Amino acid sequence: MNDPPEPHHTMPPLDPAEQGRQLHSLADDFDALHTRVRDASYTPGTDALQKISPLLLKAQKLTAAVLVRLSTLDSSTYTPIAGSRSSLEYLAAVAVASTLAGNDLASALLANPYAGAPSDGSPADGAPARTARRTAAPTKVSGRLADACQQLDRSATGCRDAATALTHDLRAARDTAGPAQEAAVPALTDTQYDALKSLAPGNGMLYEGARRGPGVILVATADGTRISIATFRALNKRGLVGRDMTTRLSRGQKITVTKLGHQALARPRPTTAAGPARASSTPSAVRGARR
């Protein structure tokens, strides 16, 4: 059982170069499939089924990859950036085009003549009828493959358009965010500061503690620092840490300290004087266990 989405979940800033690289790689995959479909050689019947089926499966995998990229960007720090809607719409359009390409490939299989026996009561399937079907099939199948090529070409173009727009948006936002981001570093309590410092090396994990009952979420650190889920959520809400949402909690989600988090650590450690008066009388070992 995964913990519910946090109302103000903050992901680490996106790397423009990496995001652009992934979209260009996806465009290259569409180009490669376009070439395979364009150059497909087959004879009607079983051979066509064996040659076209892998192309359909590849188109479906690429559609799934597009949806993953769209979902990732839609739930990331990219969405508040000016111009981000255009990139998301580009990817949504790619999902349409790649789906239509898959539909065209499936339609090519439907146009393919099969040698199965007709149903009882159907007209006799004599040699002339079979010959006619096999004669007409190549034109129908080729037309569907040509339609698929057009949609695959649109998919590749859409991915590259999205990559260009996204890279421009992220770089523009990064270039203008420096001074404002520095001034927005939030103040921390000593507990939050120690927790952030423990997570800074990048070895922290958020996971589901099955032994403590369903829905119990725990934080693990390399140095053994005890961090409560409340402290993690406070850091997460302030944009100081993020977690890898592509991994299930049952397997552990890697915790990353963001650039803003490292800026907070660069400031002096807060004193305990600002905290509750009783904190000074609490043994340090107990106080550490409550983080």
Side-chain angles (χ1 to χ4, degrees):
M1 179 177 178
N2 292 347
D3 59 331
E6 314 230 356
H8 299 286
H9 179 74
T10 303
M11 298 291 289
L14 298 177
D15 177 12
E18 175 61 18
Q19 296 301 316
R21 185 197 67 78
Q22 291 182 7
L23 289 174
H24 279 295
S25 177
L26 193 54
D28 292 341
D29 289 340
F30 276 114
D31 280 337
L33 181 57
H34 175 278
T35 300
R36 290 175 59 189
V37 174
R38 183 196 63 196
D39 298 340
S41 176
Y42 59 90
T43 56
T46 301
D47 182 62
L49 176 62
Q50 294 176 345
K51 297 290 181 57
I52 297 174
S53 293
L55 304 178
L56 172 57
L57 292 174
K58 181 61 177 179
Q60 292 173 334
K61 289 181 180 179
L62 290 179
T63 299
V66 171
L67 293 176
V68 169
R69 299 304 317 142
L70 177 59
S71 178
T72 298
L73 291 173
D74 183 62
S75 60
S76 71
T77 54
Y78 178 52
T79 53
I81 295 176
S84 59
R85 182 186 300 174
S86 294
S87 297
L88 298 177
E89 289 176 346
Y90 279 135
L91 285 179
V94 171
V96 173
S98 60
T99 299
L100 291 175
N103 183 68
D104 289 327
L105 291 169
S107 296
L109 293 179
L110 178 61
N112 183 48
Y114 299 98
S119 303
D120 292 340
S122 298
D125 191 22
R130 291 194 297 271
T131 300
R133 285 203 311 274
R134 294 181 69 86
T135 300
T139 300
K140 294 180 180 179
V141 173
S142 296
R144 288 299 189 176
L145 295 182
D147 291 342
C149 283
Q150 291 183 359
Q151 297 299 341
L152 292 171
D153 183 61
R154 291 170 182 167
S155 299
T157 300
C159 284
R160 292 192 173 96
D161 288 342
T164 299
L166 180 145
T167 302
H168 175 272
D169 295 340
L170 290 176
R171 286 177 176 169
R174 183 182 61 184
D175 292 343
T176 59
Q181 189 180 45
E182 185 70 31
V185 177
L188 302 176
T189 66
D190 58 339
T191 297
Q192 292 168 350
Y193 184 92
D194 291 344
L196 194 61
K197 184 176 181 180
S198 177
L199 294 170
N203 298 318
M205 297 287 289
L206 193 70
Y207 68 99
E208 185 177 30
R211 294 183 179 180
R212 299 195 181 186
V216 177
I217 310 303
L218 303 174
V219 180
T221 60
D223 61 5
T225 298
R226 301 284 295 277
I227 301 175
S228 71
I229 188 62
T231 297
F232 169 81
R233 285 174 172 158
L235 296 174
N236 178 259
K237 182 177 180 180
R238 290 167 173 79
L240 303 175
V241 298
R243 53 171 164 151
D244 181 7
M245 298 290 285
T246 64
T247 305
R248 295 177 62 86
L249 278 168
S250 57
R251 301 186 63 180
Q253 296 178 342
K254 183 178 181 181
I255 299 173
T256 305
V257 174
T258 66
K259 181 179 179 180
L260 190 62
H262 285 290
Q263 291 175 354
L265 283 175
R267 293 185 171 185
R269 184 182 186 280
T271 62
T272 57
R278 62 180 180 182
S280 61
S281 62
T282 304
S284 59
V286 176
R287 188 166 65 247
R290 292 182 179 174
R291 286 174 185 157

